[in-house]
Amino acid sequence: MENKTRNGDVPQPIRNDGAGWWDLGPRDVMRDLENPDMLVPPVTDAGSLPNLKFSFSDTHMQLNHGGWSREVTVRQLPIATTIAGVNMALTPGGVRELHWHQQAEWAIMLVGRARITSVDQQGRNFIADVGIGDLWYFPPGIPHSIQGLEEGCEFLLVFPDGSFSDLNTLAISDWFAHTPKDVLTVNFGVPPSAFAHIPNHQLYIFQSNVPGPLESQQVPDPYGLVPKTFTHRLLAQEPIVTPGGSTVRIVDSANFPISTQIAASLLEIKPGAMREMHWHPNQDEWQYYISGTARMTVMAPNGTARTFDYRAGDVGYVPRAFGHYIQNTGNQSVWALEMFASDRFEDISLNQWMALTPHQLVQQNLNVGPELMNVLRKEKQFIVQSTIG
Ligand code: MN
Ligand code: MN
């Protein structure tokens, strides 16, 4: 009953035009404050679109000695069939154990540093350290591990399969625990006593010691290194800088050749700026918000449209070819990832499309005048800065 008040500090479902009325009943004011465009949808919203937002803060935390993980998959966000995401942290020395899975793994380091290891199908290894803004990519079925370095780390893992779960992978501890000891004896040519103390369950994440310098852990490999690097320094990549100073870094198989199943763009949308109205012809978009607050309207067929608000730690989703924008609604930069289960990043800019179409046709279609037609841009904007208002 505490909210049964017409307190002006509490947001109410009343639009500027007077539509709506006070919410005097049970409600979660903190969530209403985080979702102003759901409490008071823009008058342009129409019809029903499924949920396109899920926060990692609403997921189950898997806590282990050595770190934690949580995930947004098709189980949390049913429309997100093409991509699953896992947010993971490792302590200094904490290890995501030696494991593999059917899906490719794409990752970006968000905080701290880690050491990754892998060996490919031709016995070529890859052992490297990754820091903030670095990516890694393990092809499907290729075994790997991740270990936190001195300062620990937090990262985002992305898999091109919405039904993936990181709690459902193939682990080296499981294989040892679930193989008859006499088979292990034959396989390795050592007596059963060598396996007396192996774990009897999957470790998943475990605490170990911070490893020594990278050079001290390199394993000489008679077959050489993997021919295509498994890491990419995305934040160090020269960005596309837009007129307002916002930046875009696109990464796919064109500049990170091993990454044939995931494409991404890392956006920095400055205050007052907006990822321009656009769509992606080739794949659904899975978004991850790293910082700031933003809103997005998704326009679906037949004039259906719904607006959502996003903040750091949220996942957003846009079905293939549905129109959308991402507008910075705060006073700090929005950093966000657009992710696609594809070998290529592709987008269509509304502005560019109109600029490169016979102007008479566009004018007749929209009943607009030269005021708009004269400012259309033949080059893609990616992110536009608000100059009016
Ligand atoms: Mn993995
Ligand atoms: Mn997009």
Side-chain angles (χ1 to χ4, degrees):
M1 298 294 129
E2 59 186 305
N3 291 320
K4 263 196 174 169
T5 164
R6 302 193 182 199
N7 180 342
D9 296 337
V10 175
Q12 297 295 343
I14 303 172
R15 198 183 277 130
N16 291 337
D17 62 6
W21 197 54
W22 298 85
D23 181 352
L24 301 175
R27 60 183 298 196
D28 185 336
V29 174
M30 287 176 69
R31 285 190 109 77
D32 288 339
L33 286 165
E34 288 193 353
N35 296 290
D37 289 289
M38 285 218 267
L39 187 70
V40 184
V43 72
T44 44
D45 276 13
S48 62
L49 259 176
N51 181 45
L52 301 174
K53 171 184 174 174
F54 205 92
S55 171
F56 272 105
S57 292
D58 286 328
T59 63
H60 169 77
M61 266 285 191
Q62 171 67 39
L63 302 180
N64 285 55
H65 294 285
W68 53 256
S69 75
R70 53 186 174 178
E71 55 193 31
V72 175
T73 73
V74 75
R75 289 166 284 275
Q76 287 76 29
L77 184 58
I79 197 169
T81 55
T82 63
I83 285 183
V86 176
N87 181 204
M88 185 179 292
L90 296 171
T91 61
V95 179
R96 172 68 178 96
E97 76 164 301
L98 292 158
H99 73 282
W100 68 106
H101 29 77
Q102 293 180 329
Q103 295 83 356
E105 171 176 320
W106 183 102
I108 183 167
M109 185 59 73
L110 302 170
V111 178
R113 291 167 63 244
R115 181 160 304 160
I116 59 172
T117 76
S118 185
V119 175
D120 79 0
Q121 59 272 60
Q122 294 186 53
R124 299 171 295 202
N125 70 10
F126 186 82
I127 305 168
D129 289 352
V130 284
I132 292 175
D134 292 344
L135 311 183
W136 68 82
Y137 183 93
F138 299 125
I142 297 301
H144 53 275
S145 68
I146 312 161
Q147 182 170 24
L149 296 177
E150 289 80 358
E151 61 274 64
C153 60
E154 180 179 337
F155 45 91
L156 176 75
L157 302 166
V158 174
F159 305 87
D161 174 359
S163 65
F164 177 87
S165 171
D166 202 53
L167 302 173
N168 192 23
T169 65
L170 296 136
I172 196 170
S173 58
D174 268 338
W175 210 5
F176 271 72
H178 299 289
T179 299
K181 289 281 185 2
D182 65 295
V183 171
L184 292 173
T185 295
V186 170
N187 196 72
F188 293 101
V190 293
S193 59
F195 308 106
H197 304 294
I198 60 170
N200 61 5
H201 62 279
Q202 186 187 140
L203 296 183
Y204 185 57
I205 291 171
F206 65 96
Q207 184 63 55
S208 184
N209 304 317
V210 175
L214 183 60
E215 311 79 67
S216 72
Q217 281 213 311
Q218 288 293 354
V219 181
D221 189 329
Y223 306 103
L225 290 174
V226 296
K228 294 177 185 171
T229 181
F230 286 0
T231 57
H232 177 79
R233 303 195 64 204
L234 181 58
L235 201 57
Q237 179 180 315
E238 194 66 33
I240 299 164
V241 181
T242 65
S246 296
T247 61
V248 181
R249 290 172 172 86
I250 294 169
V251 59
D252 60 19
S253 61
N255 54 354
F256 186 20
I258 192 72
S259 184
T260 56
Q261 292 190 28
I262 292 283
S265 72
L266 174 64
L267 309 171
E268 181 196 6
I269 307 169
K270 298 272 191 186
M274 186 177 87
R275 174 79 169 94
E276 67 170 331
M277 295 170 77
H278 70 282
W279 72 89
H280 306 274
N282 58 331
Q283 247 315 355
D284 293 4
E285 172 174 333
W286 189 97
Q287 304 171 334
Y288 179 69
Y289 289 84
I290 298 169
S291 72
T293 56
R295 75 167 179 166
M296 172 171 75
T297 302
V298 173
M299 202 276 288
N302 202 24
T304 303
R306 188 170 168 193
T307 304
F308 294 84
D309 302 287
Y310 299 92
R311 61 182 52 233
D314 285 348
V315 171
Y317 202 80
V318 186
R320 179 166 56 94
F322 287 16
H324 56 284
Y325 62 85
I326 304 171
Q327 184 175 33
N328 187 336
T329 53
N331 52 21
Q332 62 165 307
S333 281
V334 169
W335 283 87
L337 285 162
E338 300 180 298
M339 308 287 317
F340 308 89
S342 175
D343 65 331
R344 285 301 167 104
F345 174 88
E346 292 182 1
D347 73 345
I348 305 277
S349 155
L350 171 63
N351 195 327
Q352 184 181 48
W353 172 39
M354 292 166 64
L356 297 173
T357 298
H359 283 195
Q360 188 185 26
L361 174 61
V362 175
Q363 285 183 288
Q364 290 167 349
N365 200 144
L366 287 173
N367 193 26
V368 290
E371 183 188 24
L372 173 64
M373 301 311 297
N374 292 342
V375 298
L376 292 177
R377 302 286 292 268
K378 291 182 178 174
E379 68 279 16
K380 222 169 255 183
Q381 303 294 290
F382 289 108
I383 297 171
V384 292
Q385 191 75 29
S386 173
T387 53
I388 296 168

